[in-house]
């Protein structure tokens, strides 16, 4: 298990009752903890913690976070995983149901690998356990360079088509505008760190077989970034999992159709309670 120093390296937000085994919700790229607002509103009776990833929202840059958890060096999801656990420990939380959407799912898998004792349950939403292929990795380096250069956050503007499902893009123009606004406001240091960190992540499918805790695997029916094959392989690898396909949603299920997401998370936590 990785060493984690105490302190509160990441910005953290709590809602619901002060009860054991909270849900910890980790957001997708390049958004921040506010992405979970609709889901959290639907769970007023459930203890929920959300956090901003390094360089996003109110969290410090990855460089500062990595120093705080004693993991300076190459940008990686491992330092983020250690920072989530350090932030939980500083808040007195020893065990939690760790849930991540897309990039948050990659971080949840890194937490499961490095800190299994913290994980009372795992939720993998619109994500995958496999590593990038060479083309995806090259694209991430290209986006990181473009964001660090003249384009700034405009480098991620084309992502709107991948994030939202075909129905949202055709029929929910206010949501499209909201996501476009979030992409325009995405912080450059966060974009650069996250692209480099995601490019480096290894395949973690094998981690799932070692997790003897309740699991949830979920994707939007219209998600083109996490395929049905991706989620089925994760569900098969987990010893105890529920597989949920959310209708009328693409990659951003938590924004596009929050009700079934909230209900699936409620069930997951109930299964994880001692
Ligand atoms: C996300 O939504 O977090 C991204 O699509 C993750 C990725 O780029 O793989």
């Amino acid at each position: 298990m990785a060493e984690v120093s105490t302190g509160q390296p990441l910005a953290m937000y709590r809602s619901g009752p002060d009860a054991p085994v909270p849900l910890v919700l980790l957001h997708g790229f390049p958004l921040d903890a506010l992405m979970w607002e609709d889901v959290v509103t639907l769970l007023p009776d459930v203890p929920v913690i959300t956090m901003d990833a390094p360089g996003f929202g109110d969290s410090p840059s990855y460089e500062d976070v990595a120093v705080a958890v004693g993991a300076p060096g190459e940008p990686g999801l491992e330092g983020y995983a250690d920072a989530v656990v350090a932030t939980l420990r500083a808040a007195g939380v020893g065990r939690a149901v760790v849930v991540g959407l897309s990039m948050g799912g990659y971080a949840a898998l890194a937490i499961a690998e490095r800190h299994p004792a913290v994980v009372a349950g795992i939720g993998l939403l619109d994500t995958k356990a496999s590593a990038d292929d060479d083309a995806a990795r090259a694209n991430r380096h290209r986006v990181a360079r473009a964001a660090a250069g003249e384009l700034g956050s405009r480098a991620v503007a084309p992502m709107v088509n991948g994030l939202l499902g075909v129905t949202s893009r055709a029929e929910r123009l206010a949501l499209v505008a909201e996501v476009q606004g979030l992409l325009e406001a995405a912080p450059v240091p966060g974009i650069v760190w996250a692209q480099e960190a995601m490019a480096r992540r290894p395949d973690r499918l094998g981690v799932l077989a070692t997790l003897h805790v309740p699991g949830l695997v979920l994707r939007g029916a219209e998600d083109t970034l996490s395929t049905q094959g991706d989620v089925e392989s994760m569900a098969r690898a987990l010893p105890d999992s529920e597989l949920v396909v959310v209708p009328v949603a693409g990659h951003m299920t938590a924004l596009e159709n929050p009700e079934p997401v909230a209900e699936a998370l409620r069930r997951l936590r109930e299964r994880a309670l001692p």
Side-chain angles (χ1 to χ4, degrees), residues 23 25-26 35-36 39 43 98-106 122-129 208 214-236 238 240-268 271:
L23 290 173
L25 308 182
L26 304 175
M35 188 207 89
W36 294 107
V39 168
L43 296 170
V98 179
V99 176
L101 187 144
S102 197
M103 177 178 78
Y106 308 153
I122 189 160
L124 299 165
L125 280 45
D126 302 290
T127 193
K128 53 176 80 121
L208 296 178
L216 164 70
V217 179
L218 176 150
R219 76 179 274 268
E222 301 172 6
D223 189 351
T224 53
L225 302 178
S226 309
T227 64
Q228 189 65 15
D230 290 328
V231 293
E232 281 176 4
S233 65
M234 291 191 292
R236 268 197 307 273
L238 277 164
D240 172 16
S241 71
E242 182 188 11
L243 172 56
V244 173
V245 178
V246 174
V248 214
H251 194 56
M252 286 289 129
T253 46
L255 290 174
E256 296 178 80
N257 197 351
E259 287 85 1
V261 176
E263 284 319 304
L265 293 178
R266 180 192 297 285
R267 286 196 300 278
L268 174 65
R271 286 161 59 215

Side-chain angles (χ1 to χ4, degrees), residues 8-270:
Q8 188 167 310
L10 297 174
M12 174 187 126
Y13 314 90
R14 292 186 96 141
S15 65
D18 186 10
V21 198
L23 290 173
V24 174
L25 308 182
L26 304 175
H27 62 83
F29 171 87
L31 310 183
D32 60 30
L34 278 176
M35 188 207 89
W36 294 107
E37 201 170 14
D38 293 345
V39 168
V40 170
T41 302
L42 290 161
L43 296 170
D45 52 329
V46 176
V48 180
I49 291 175
T50 58
M51 290 187 199
D52 293 323
F56 292 94
D58 287 330
S59 281
S61 70
Y62 179 73
E63 289 73 21
D64 290 347
V65 168
V67 168
V69 297
E74 301 291 313
L77 291 164
E78 295 74 16
Y80 176 22
D82 292 358
V84 170
V85 172
T87 305
L88 289 175
R89 290 211 177 125
V93 176
R95 259 170 91 68
V97 176
V98 179
V99 176
L101 187 144
S102 197
M103 177 178 78
Y106 308 153
L109 287 165
I111 293 169
E113 181 178 71
R114 295 166 71 77
H115 306 283
V118 172
V119 180
I122 189 160
L124 299 165
L125 280 45
D126 302 290
T127 193
K128 53 176 80 121
S130 53
D132 284 348
D133 60 21
D134 288 346
R137 214 171 281 128
N139 189 51
R140 291 197 194 280
H141 295 316
R142 186 190 59 73
V143 172
R145 274 197 307 275
E150 278 186 15
L151 273 187
S153 59
R154 289 198 305 280
V156 294
M159 280 186 68
V160 68
N161 292 326
L163 294 183
L164 294 175
V166 63
T167 306
S168 297
R169 278 182 278 133
E171 297 175 11
R172 303 186 60 193
L173 300 189
L175 181 60
V176 173
E178 182 188 334
V179 171
Q180 280 168 332
L182 295 173
L183 294 174
E184 272 163 34
V188 167
I191 294 173
V192 173
W193 162 72
Q195 287 293 7
E196 298 294 350
M198 290 191 282
R200 282 194 173 86
R201 76 187 196 284
D203 184 306
R204 289 199 162 101
L205 193 61
V207 172
L208 296 178
T210 68
L211 278 183
H212 292 278
V213 295
L216 164 70
V217 179
L218 176 150
R219 76 179 274 268
E222 301 172 6
D223 189 351
T224 53
L225 302 178
S226 309
T227 64
Q228 189 65 15
D230 290 328
V231 293
E232 281 176 4
S233 65
M234 291 191 292
R236 268 197 307 273
L238 277 164
D240 172 16
S241 71
E242 182 188 11
L243 172 56
V244 173
V245 178
V246 174
V248 214
H251 194 56
M252 286 289 129
T253 46
L255 290 174
E256 296 178 80
N257 197 351
E259 287 85 1
V261 176
E263 284 319 304
L265 293 178
R266 180 192 297 285
R267 286 196 300 278
L268 174 65
R269 178 169 178 272
E270 279 164 8

